[in-house]
Amino acid sequence: MAGGKVVRVRVDPDKCQGHNRCKALAPALFELDEYGNSKEIGDGIVPEGQLEAAYLARANCPEMAVEIIEE
Amino acid sequence: MAEDTTRTRPSVLDWSTDWDHLAAEWRDNPYPIWDELRATCPVAHTKRYLGAYLPTTYAAVKAIAYDTKNFSSRRVVVREVRPEPPMPSPPISSDPPHHKPAKQLLLPPFTPDEMKKLEPRARAICNELIDRFIADGRCDAAQMYTRHIPVRVIAHMLDVPESDGDQFIQWIHEILELGITDDDILMKAVHEMSMYFAGYVEARTKKPGHDLISRIIMARQDGKPLPPQEVLGMIRLLLIAGIDTTWSAIGASLWHLAKTPADRQRLIAEPELMPTAIEEFLRAYAPVTMAREVVQDTVIEGCPVKAGNMVLLSFPAANRDPAMFPDADKVILDRQENRHSAFGLGIHRCVGSNLARLEMTVAIEEWLKRIPDFRLDPAFPVTWSEGTVRGPRQLPFIFG
Ligand code: HEM
Ligand code: SF4
């Protein structure tokens, strides 16, 4: 929850190439599989205090694979 | 040290129609060349090298890296010759659908968690190297420091003697630099490397350990082990792809810090900037330029490109594109948005990117701890390598 809105992160598995930028910048939001490809943890809801990390992850993914969805 | 193959080359009169990536001007300072081309002719061509294009915008480089149908990785170096068939070296020389299975064999030993296990040895290697020259008050950091870190770390991963590193360095030099213009030297180095590793592969097929050679032997593709020739090919690729690249990236970072005291002092005062600083060094001084072969006529950024030509895939030029990176020519240690392409874009993303980042971080941290104050020695020149991998090969520093 942030500002009353629910914010989620999502990794597009077709775009992710495992650059590992998202995990390095927002370790609480992403997990890697055995090949180093990323996925959002759980339902991807960004807790209070993790919003900046989520936007940083998106701003540094070279494949544009990190999406932020505000509901 | 870079051999001067440029001496005998006709000089470039017009970079947009006659570019030459082995020209001395390019080797010594390619950035103004790319800046001018990006503004005037974003997909330049040359008749040299049997015909090749040179895109300089991020958008064009990305489009080509993603378009594996028209741009094949069957050749990944722009050379004077194009032997048929090209020498396969999966996954770097593979296109879909063969690329993915080959790559998946290599990925598990290179995840961030695996890399963490290497960190203590990597730090110890850096300190052992610094111990050898710190009392001299000066050193050639490219020859005495940065050069030895990646070979020793990969030797450690392969569980072969770290002291064989000098031999690895020689082979890589013959393959990546001399081999661009001399096919015999290239083939000889490839053969010698294969002979060296064949014994290890045989021994560890019988009695596997936990090292990287054993892991490649034990890996399964469709439930089957790789034939020994392919195991050897993968080991060769890891050495060719992992050594000069990381040597260059660490060297360019230290070069920047030697000539930019404000950045050096800032990084020492604010060590938490290290992660963004490393990404910024990778962006600004990206060492690796790959290539593709055009296999069907197509159009890139409005420019027609013709089958049969090569394309120089300049990730370093893409990383300097102001349309993608504000103040692209400035090194900004805390750059917040940095989608640089130093490790490639799309399916061929560097297998060793997590390893390279670890080595760069450790090498710069340990250096700054022990030698916080250093500058370029004006008595000697800084020299740069040419070809696929660009980085400092002589880096004379004075301490204090
Ligand atoms: C700073 C150091 C490094 C840089 C800048 C770098 C850069 C690159 C680039 C740009 C590619 C993409 C090739 C393409 O698109 O055709 C690549 C691929 C590759 N790199 Fe690296 N690399 C570095 C270090 C390493 C290390 C340490 C290793 C392993 C020990 C390694 C292994 C590979 C492999 C196996 C590939 C082929 C991946 C594929 O084709 O799917 N690299 N590297
Ligand atoms: S930064 Fe992008 S490409 Fe890299 S692991 Fe994360 S989502 Fe995947």
Side-chain angles (χ1 to χ4, degrees), chain B residues 66-88:
Chain B
Y66 278 24
D67 182 355
T68 55
K69 213 166 91 258
N70 292 314
F71 299 95
S72 170
S73 285
R74 65 198 285 269
R75 297 180 205 279
V76 283
V77 181
V78 171
R79 303 179 59 213
E80 299 283 12
V81 291
R82 292 203 204 144
E84 277 298 344
M87 193 171 35

Side-chain angles (χ1 to χ4, degrees), chain B residues 251-292:
Chain B
S253 308
L254 285 177
W255 171 73
H256 176 83
L257 293 172
K259 69 183 180 71
T260 324
D263 280 351
R264 190 174 70 242
Q265 283 145 16
R266 188 170 180 213
L267 205 50
I268 293 169
E270 302 171 63
E272 67 280 5
L273 291 183
M274 193 58 78
T276 47
I278 296 289
E279 297 309 314
E280 183 66 345
F281 295 145
L282 281 164
R283 181 191 70 81
Y285 306 117
V288 177
T289 298
M290 297 299 294
R292 298 289 187 262

Side-chain angles (χ1 to χ4, degrees), chain B residues 39-358:
Chain B
T40 55
C41 177
V43 184
H45 186 260
T46 189
K47 289 192 193 64
R48 299 172 193 242
Y49 307 101
L50 309 172
Y53 297 99
L54 168 62
T56 41
T57 64
Y58 188 96
V61 168
K62 179 171 175 166
I64 293 164
Y66 278 24
D67 182 355
T68 55
K69 213 166 91 258
N70 292 314
F71 299 95
S72 170
S73 285
R74 65 198 285 269
R75 297 180 205 279
V76 283
V77 181
V78 171
R79 303 179 59 213
E80 299 283 12
V81 291
R82 292 203 204 144
E84 277 298 344
M87 193 171 35
S89 175
I92 209 161
S93 64
S94 317
D95 296 316
H98 305 288
H99 171 264
K100 192 170 177 181
K103 180 153 198 179
Q104 284 194 330
L105 281 176
L106 286 180
L107 285 171
F110 288 94
T111 58
D113 283 347
E114 291 285 337
M115 293 307 105
K116 277 197 202 111
K117 300 180 197 161
L118 295 172
E119 189 175 329
R121 181 67 203 130
R123 285 197 195 275
I125 288 171
C126 294
N127 280 293
E128 287 161 21
L129 293 166
I130 295 172
D131 287 342
R132 292 200 204 159
F133 56 72
I134 188 166
D136 302 342
R138 58 177 353 120
C139 77
D140 180 339
Q143 293 299 324
M144 300 172 82
Y145 187 61
T146 57
R147 174 177 214 180
H148 301 283
I149 299 164
V151 270
R152 289 181 185 216
V153 172
I154 195 85
H156 174 74
M157 291 178 78
L158 294 166
D159 194 15
V160 302
E162 284 181 18
S163 53
D164 289 348
D166 288 347
Q167 179 61 71
F168 297 177
I169 289 169
Q170 181 60 28
W171 288 326
I172 307 302
H173 175 62
E174 288 168 358
I175 292 172
L176 283 182
E177 294 199 59
L178 308 184
I180 293 188
T181 45
D182 190 330
D183 212 43
D184 294 338
I185 294 187
L186 174 83
M187 297 313 291
K188 183 175 149 280
V190 168
H191 178 72
E192 286 174 9
M193 267 174 113
S194 308
M195 298 295 287
Y196 174 93
F197 284 106
Y200 287 108
V201 170
E202 202 187 313
R204 293 184 195 170
T205 305
K206 294 192 191 111
K207 196 166 176 293
H210 298 286
D211 60 278
L212 187 51
I213 297 178
S214 299
R215 290 186 71 167
I216 297 172
I217 293 170
M218 302 289 284
R220 293 293 174 265
Q221 204 169 358
D222 303 322
K224 290 194 292 283
L226 287 181
Q229 277 313 316
E230 287 181 32
V231 172
L232 285 174
M234 294 251 174
I235 297 169
R236 275 200 314 265
L237 173 60
L238 291 176
L239 291 186
I240 295 168
I243 291 180
D244 274 23
T245 47
T246 319
W247 173 19
S248 301
I250 301 170
S253 308
L254 285 177
W255 171 73
H256 176 83
L257 293 172
K259 69 183 180 71
T260 324
D263 280 351
R264 190 174 70 242
Q265 283 145 16
R266 188 170 180 213
L267 205 50
I268 293 169
E270 302 171 63
E272 67 280 5
L273 291 183
M274 193 58 78
T276 47
I278 296 289
E279 297 309 314
E280 183 66 345
F281 295 145
L282 281 164
R283 181 191 70 81
Y285 306 117
V288 177
T289 298
M290 297 299 294
R292 298 289 187 262
E293 184 170 345
V294 189
V295 288
Q296 295 179 67
D297 290 0
T298 182
V299 175
I300 283 294
E301 297 287 290
C303 305
V305 299
K306 294 240 169 307
N309 284 272
M310 293 293 295
V311 181
L312 198 69
L313 200 54
S314 176
F315 299 113
N319 284 354
R320 295 285 187 129
D321 184 350
M324 185 67 186
F325 304 96
D327 288 319
D329 55 350
K330 292 205 181 68
V331 172
I332 302 171
L333 296 185
D334 58 354
R335 194 181 279 275
Q336 294 296 296
E337 181 165 347
N338 194 351
R339 295 187 175 93
H340 70 75
S341 63
F343 292 113
L345 291 167
I347 62 169
H348 290 281
R349 189 270 300 170
C350 177
V351 164
S353 61
N354 299 312
L355 174 60
R357 285 181 166 114
L358 170 81

Side-chain angles (χ1 to χ4, degrees), chain A residues 11 15-22 32 36 38 61-63 65-66:
Chain A
V11 175
K15 290 187 183 165
C16 174
Q17 299 291 349
H19 287 262
N20 182 40
R21 301 298 301 131
C22 55
L32 304 181
S38 180
C61 173
E63 309 290 346
V66 175

